[in-house]
Amino acid sequence: MSAPSPVNLLRQRIHEALTKRDRSVLVVVGSGVSISATGNAKAASWGGLLGLGIERCQQVAQGWRTRRFDAVGVQAQLASNKVSDWIAAATAIEKALGAPDGAAYKDWLRETVGALTPTQPDVLHALGMLGVPLATTNYDGLLEYALGLQGMTWRTHGLVDQLLTGAYPGDAVLHLHGHFSEPQSVILGAASYAKILGDKRAQSTLHHLLQSRDLIFVGMGGGLDDPNFGALLDWANDVSLPESRYHFLLLRESETPAWRARLVLTSRIHVLSYGQNYADLVPFLHGLVSVPTAPGVASPSTGILAPAWVQESNPEQLTISRNLVRRAFFDTLRTDSDADAFCLDHFPETYRQFSSGMDRQRKVNQLLSLIHISEPTR
């Protein structure tokens, strides 16, 4: 019997994680997702955010009397292709804005990454439909906004342990590099990177994830070169991870050759192409939880089309959670008209609360707010 292809292996891992409820798969989301979900908003990318940081520093520096901000020098660092230069630029921005406790720094974070909203949320919905826990290196709250979740940062060690073991009630988004609303947690320049690299619990958590979970890296790309994840990959290359573990790095086709040359097999990271363009990512993610050639079949009792991943699951093993209902909603009801018709037929009171122009995510949030779903005890 031949081994499954990496894509089929990934699909199999997700299916097993859902049916066994063992939280054995974790998606790690990078800035590429935020860039796509916001239509390339400047604050969604690390480089764009640092550019906005230079502008804010120049404004703040106008009130200085005895020192100045070297905007030209920092811009030159940002023009480099070296991660070390970008971190040096970020370090200068942190210092000028008084990170992490300065009011100027807090305001800048809130008014840039904190102001991001998903104008093109399809990729966020597709990630939510995978039905597995989500972590991110992004500082924004886009996943929370789109999926109706709350976030936690790497500094809240107790909550992180609960989330990863399944003891946390419900689902949350784990911010591995911090969240804009908690400036102390944001990993941006040298000082903050030193803080997380020196945090034994945080580093232990990352190592534990590589050893105990199947990780799916989405929208990471160059983000894997930052000191924190770079150190993690170096560690993965130097140790022998359990043979039961497989990790997956999803990239555009043009990006895969360099990463396949860089990552040795002992890292147990499969480099997968999701397509030629970033627009191919959403269909690829949909394909991980459904069989493209096999349309849903009607349930004999309801007549409602069920997605393939529901059909293939053992009902006694499939935990009904808010995240699972959300995923089924988007995977089954592919258009706005389908979603409206479903709610009108089965939840007319909720349907009457829909307003003109309300997007599908807000509709499902409204639906879930009025339906009691008992989260399972673990």
Side-chain angles (χ1 to χ4, degrees), residues 349-367:
E349 293 296 326
T350 303
Y351 175 78
R352 282 193 282 272
Q353 297 185 40
F354 292 167
S355 61
S356 177
M358 181 181 287
D359 61 34
R360 296 185 68 205
Q361 186 59 50
R362 291 179 61 192
K363 289 177 182 178
V364 75
N365 287 345
Q366 184 76 12
L367 182 64

Side-chain angles (χ1 to χ4, degrees), residues 10-11 13-19 22-29 126-135 147 149 163 171-173 214-216 288-289 321 323-324 327:
L10 174 55
R11 186 179 292 115
R13 292 298 210 188
I14 292 173
H15 179 76
E16 290 174 351
L18 290 173
T19 55
D22 59 4
R23 305 180 77 83
S24 58
V25 175
L26 178 77
V27 176
V28 182
V29 177
L127 290 167
M129 282 191 288
L130 294 179
V132 299
L134 299 170
L147 302 179
L149 303 174
L163 179 68
D171 291 301
V173 178
D214 293 334
L215 304 184
I216 308 172
L288 296 178
V289 291
S321 65
N323 199 31
L324 198 66
R327 176 183 160 200

